């Protein structure tokens, strides 16, 4: 009888208010709204998401293409593993490509050198694997010419593509006038349309803007504005719209915000489909083909093996987001020269996602997640608004020349840096959990020189990494004549001082500053003995000040009287901080401190003391 009753039983339908009420019970009365966070895109991230009416496509391969460009009826096409290979000779490149293919690479991608002929490379591999090359203007013409001299290659796949606007943004100038640049691009499009109809030649590259600090909304809006500028310029050269549209390849750098990056790619496909539709493009040309790479902006010189985790997270997001080509940066890419081990690890990251995680077996794994679906819609709406603003301001080129794009990106970059300075944004191994025994990468620095004879010049769009300010602090500390050490005066028992002492050690480590703890002290005599024996220029007082504030202040007075040339800081933030400052404490190390400013000030003081 009970079993028969259970067959007809149903669970109650929970409403939104029920989930909120239940959540607030677990939060012990704290309101759910207090958990809302704002992103750099000015999107509110809510703790709870609920099903809403979906106006987009329910299936992959059909408009609005948020769910991908492959039809759900067909077997999902795996993305191409397109690790970019660097070599100084054609033979070295050929050997490296063959080794990479044996190791699982499925596309031929390489950096172009001006003094190398790639005809033998193209002849060897172009009929078997897609070719994936980000080319500058002259490089594209050179490669297209070499392709044309090779017989019996007609079904060439992939891209040899260039983006004049991205080149302008990255370098800050173009040597030739814009009209001449697009004239040459138009010629290459006409040649490849006849001989290599499947080869993409028009690149929309957002990496310079990503590395300039852009958020997801800005990246999409800039990509659309760049794509429209290309389209208008090329259509003015009497190339059919459908021919132009068939030649597009979009390139995105994939950052650290996992769900945001997935939604970014989905939203970009949606909006590009709408733009192509507005130009009368076919459904096939409405499908955005995406090349991606893991971010340079997120990578660090210190604790470099964490870069493996960062790249894995970013590659995972790229694949879930639905890319067609992917490059995973080696963990030591910042050194400029890839090593066999790090390149193999980067390639294997993709192989694990493909062969072991089996991500390519599922169409749009993130589809139906209420969080990602709503995030996709919000990004798309904001990106479209910004795209319209850029268009109303005269388009992408005009916005770069006026410096409007650079100004918008610099504001976001500043916010990102400030969050890293206050450690609201964690950079593992750099501004948090820094390892002072760590061996950093040998950073390869290329000096940017602007020639005098340029046709167009724009305000600089600085290419940067989030960790750079902290890395500069470490270099300052390493150059000091004396190793920077702060003596930690531990007051009371272990329970009183250890939490603060450990925090101070972690707080100072990102600046390359070592801490040395005293033994437990409960008298000024013990403290003085420790100071005399260690004789550092800087000390930090750690203990439970609420329990013995009066005694703590007396320690500060004694310290100032006997050691006026030394500096004393306080771990934590006491209730009456003004009293401590007036007594002689230099400052406080606490969770709300600006870590970067504190370390910079401290290192400056230590440097002055060293040279005094």
């Amino acid at each position: 009888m009970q079993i028969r009753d259970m067959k007809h039983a149903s669970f109650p339908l929970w409403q939104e208010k029920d989930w909120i009420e239940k959540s607030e019970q677990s939060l012990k009365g704290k309101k759910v709204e207090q958990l809302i966070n704002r992103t750099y895109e000015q999107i509110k991230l809510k703790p709870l998401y609920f099903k809403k009416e979906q106006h987009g496509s329910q299936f992959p391969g059909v408009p609005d293409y948020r769910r991908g460009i492959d039809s759900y009826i067909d077997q999902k096409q795996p993305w191409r593993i397109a690790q970019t290979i660097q070599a100084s000779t054609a033979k070295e490149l050929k050997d490296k490509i063959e080794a990479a293919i044996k190791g699982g690479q499925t596309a031929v991608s390489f950096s172009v050198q001006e003094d190398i002929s790639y005809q033998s490379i193209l002849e060897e591999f172009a009929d078997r694997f897609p070719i994936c090359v980000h080319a500058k203007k002259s490089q594209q013409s050179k490669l297209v010419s070499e392709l044309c001299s090779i017989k019996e290659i007609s079904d060439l796949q992939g891209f040899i593509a260039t983006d004049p606007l991205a080149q302008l943004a990255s370098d800050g100038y173009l040597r030739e006038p814009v009209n001449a640049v697009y004239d040459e691009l138009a010629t290459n499009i006409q040649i490849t349309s006849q001989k290599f109809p499947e080869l993409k030649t028009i690149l929309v590259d957002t990496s310079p803007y990503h590395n300039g600090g852009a958020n997801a909304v800005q990246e999409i809006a800039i990509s659309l504005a760049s794509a429209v500028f290309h389209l208008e310029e090329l259509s003015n050269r009497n190339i059919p719209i459908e021919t132009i549209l068939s030649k597009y390849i979009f390139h995105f750098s994939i950052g650290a915000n996992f769900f945001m990056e997935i939604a970014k790619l989905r939203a970009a496909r949606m909006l590009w489909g709408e733009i192509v539709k507005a130009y009368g493009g076919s459904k096939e040309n409405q499908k955005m083909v995406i090349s991606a790479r893991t971010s340079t902006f997120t990578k660090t010189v210190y604790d470099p093996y964490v870069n493996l985790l960062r790249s894995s997270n970013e590659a995972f997001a790229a694949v879930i987001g639905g890319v067609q080509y992917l490059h995973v940066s080696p963990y030591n890419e910042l050194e400029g020269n890839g090593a066999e081990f790090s390149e193999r690890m980067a390639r294997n990251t993709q192989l694990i996602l493909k062969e072991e995680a089996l991500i390519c077996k599922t169409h749009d794994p993130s589809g139906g997640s209420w969080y990602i679906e709503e995030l996709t819609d919000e990004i798309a709406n904001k990106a479209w608004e910004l795209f319209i603003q850029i268009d109303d301001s005269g388009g992408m080129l005009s916005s770069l020349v006026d410096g409007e794009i650079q100004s918008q990106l610099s504001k976001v970059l500043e916010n990102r840096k400030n969050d890293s300075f206050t450690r609201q944004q964690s950079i593992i191994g750099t501004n948090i959990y820094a390892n002072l025994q760590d061996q950093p990468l040998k950073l390869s620095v290329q000096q940017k020189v602007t020639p005098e004879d340029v046709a167009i010049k724009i305000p600089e769009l600085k290419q940067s990494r989030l960790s750079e300010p902290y890395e500069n602090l470490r270099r300052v500390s390493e150059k000091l004549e004396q190793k920077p050490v702060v003596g930690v005066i531990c007051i009371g028992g272990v329970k009183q001082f250890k939490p603060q002492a450990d925090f101070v050690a972690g707080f100072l480590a990102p600046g390359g500053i070592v801490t040395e703890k005293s033994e437990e002290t409960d008298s000024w005599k013990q403290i003085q003995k420790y100071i005399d024996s260690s004789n550092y220029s800087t000390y930090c007082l750690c203990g439970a000040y609420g329990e013995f504030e009066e005694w703590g202040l007396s320690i500060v007075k004694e310290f100032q009287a006997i050691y006026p040339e030394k500096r004393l800081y306080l771990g934590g933030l006491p209730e009456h901080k003004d009293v401590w400052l007036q007594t002689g404490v230099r400052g406080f190390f606490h969770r709300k401190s600006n870590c970067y400013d504190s370390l910079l000030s401290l290192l400056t003081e230590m440097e002055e003391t060293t040279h005094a």
Side-chain angles (χ1 to χ4, degrees), residues 75-128:
Q75 183 176 357
K76 188 179 188 308
Q77 296 298 314
W79 72 96
R80 297 286 185 172
I81 299 173
Q83 294 295 121
T84 301
I85 297 172
Q86 297 181 352
S88 55
T89 66
K91 185 181 184 307
E92 181 189 3
L93 179 60
K94 183 180 178 181
D95 292 342
K96 281 190 169 185
I97 290 173
E98 287 177 345
I101 289 170
K102 288 180 182 178
Q105 182 140 332
T106 56
V108 174
S109 180
F110 54 86
S111 296
V112 180
Q113 305 293 326
E114 295 292 344
D115 56 346
I116 298 178
S117 170
Y118 293 94
Q119 185 168 332
S120 61
I121 301 296
L122 297 170
E123 195 168 7
E124 176 73 21
F125 300 105
D127 61 340
R128 295 186 290 145

Side-chain angles (χ1 to χ4, degrees), residues 524 528 531-532 553-568 582-585:
W524 170 249
Q528 188 174 3
I531 295 172
D532 290 339
L553 288 170
S554 69
I555 293 174
V556 177
K557 292 176 182 177
E558 292 280 5
F559 184 96
Q560 291 300 319
I562 301 174
Y563 308 104
E565 76 286 358
K566 298 183 185 296
R567 296 175 291 272
L568 182 63
Q582 291 168 8
T583 307
V585 167

Side-chain angles (χ1 to χ4, degrees), residues 489-491 518 521-534 539 541 551 555 559 563:
I489 301 170
C490 301
I491 299 177
S518 72
T521 58
D522 54 14
S523 70
W524 170 249
K525 186 177 180 180
Q526 289 177 314
I527 294 172
Q528 188 174 3
K529 181 180 178 182
Y530 168 66
I531 295 172
D532 290 339
S533 63
S534 57
Y539 291 87
L541 202 60
W551 184 50
I555 293 174
F559 184 96
Y563 308 104

Side-chain angles (χ1 to χ4, degrees), residues 17 34 38 58 72 108 118 123 136 200 204 227 297 301 313 327 395 468 472 515 533 553 585 603:
K17 62 180 181 61
Q34 293 177 260
R38 278 191 177 274
Q58 295 298 311
Y72 72 97
V108 174
Y118 293 94
E123 195 168 7
K136 296 181 181 180
K200 309 288 185 184
V204 179
F297 183 79
V301 167
N313 178 72
H327 165 85
E468 284 184 82
N472 291 335
T515 56
S533 63
L553 288 170
V585 167
L603 286 170

Side-chain angles (χ1 to χ4, degrees), residues 275-290:
I275 288 176
V276 173
K277 188 191 302 182
Y279 276 94
S282 65
K283 284 191 175 180
E284 189 61 31
N285 285 331
Q286 290 172 26
K287 299 177 179 180
M288 177 187 277
V289 180
I290 301 176

Side-chain angles (χ1 to χ4, degrees), residues 162-203:
T162 187
D163 182 349
L165 292 180
Q167 195 64 50
L168 173 63
S170 178
D171 292 344
Y173 65 90
L174 286 178
R175 283 184 175 273
E176 297 182 8
V178 173
N179 284 337
V181 172
Y182 279 94
D183 285 344
E184 188 169 344
L185 177 56
T187 300
N188 291 333
I189 291 171
Q190 290 168 336
I191 293 171
T192 55
S193 295
Q194 294 174 3
K195 296 194 173 185
F196 314 108
E198 298 299 319
L199 183 69
K200 309 288 185 184
T201 49
I202 306 170
L203 180 66

Side-chain angles (χ1 to χ4, degrees), residues 102-285:
K102 288 180 182 178
Q105 182 140 332
T106 56
V108 174
S109 180
F110 54 86
S111 296
V112 180
Q113 305 293 326
E114 295 292 344
D115 56 346
I116 298 178
S117 170
Y118 293 94
Q119 185 168 332
S120 61
I121 301 296
L122 297 170
E123 195 168 7
E124 176 73 21
F125 300 105
D127 61 340
R128 295 186 290 145
F129 300 94
I131 302 297
C132 305
V133 176
H134 296 248
K136 296 181 181 180
K137 178 187 67 65
S138 58
Q139 294 173 346
Q140 185 185 52
S141 298
K142 171 186 174 181
L143 292 172
V144 168
S145 176
E146 290 178 343
L147 273 174
C148 290
S149 64
I150 301 173
K151 297 180 180 179
E152 299 179 356
I153 296 181
S154 58
D155 58 346
L156 179 63
Q157 304 288 318
F159 61 91
I160 299 175
T162 187
D163 182 349
L165 292 180
Q167 195 64 50
L168 173 63
S170 178
D171 292 344
Y173 65 90
L174 286 178
R175 283 184 175 273
E176 297 182 8
V178 173
N179 284 337
V181 172
Y182 279 94
D183 285 344
E184 188 169 344
L185 177 56
T187 300
N188 291 333
I189 291 171
Q190 290 168 336
I191 293 171
T192 55
S193 295
Q194 294 174 3
K195 296 194 173 185
F196 314 108
E198 298 299 319
L199 183 69
K200 309 288 185 184
T201 49
I202 306 170
L203 180 66
V204 179
D205 184 7
T206 65
S207 289
Y209 313 103
H210 175 92
N211 294 330
N215 61 39
V217 167
Q218 291 169 329
E219 285 185 65
I220 296 174
I222 288 170
S223 74
L224 300 177
S226 299
V228 168
F229 186 86
H230 296 338
L231 187 57
E232 293 290 341
E233 286 290 325
L234 294 167
S235 62
N236 290 337
R237 288 160 174 77
N238 299 318
I239 304 177
I241 288 290
E242 288 291 359
T243 300
I244 299 171
L245 292 172
S246 69
K247 293 297 181 180
Y248 271 90
I249 178 91
F250 286 75
H251 182 74
F252 290 97
S253 285
I254 308 301
N257 191 332
F258 183 75
F259 295 109
M260 185 66 72
E261 295 302 310
I262 294 171
K264 177 178 81 177
L265 297 175
R266 300 171 97 242
R269 280 196 299 270
M270 290 169 56
L271 297 182
W272 176 238
E274 291 298 317
I275 288 176
V276 173
K277 188 191 302 182
Y279 276 94
S282 65
K283 284 191 175 180
E284 189 61 31
N285 285 331

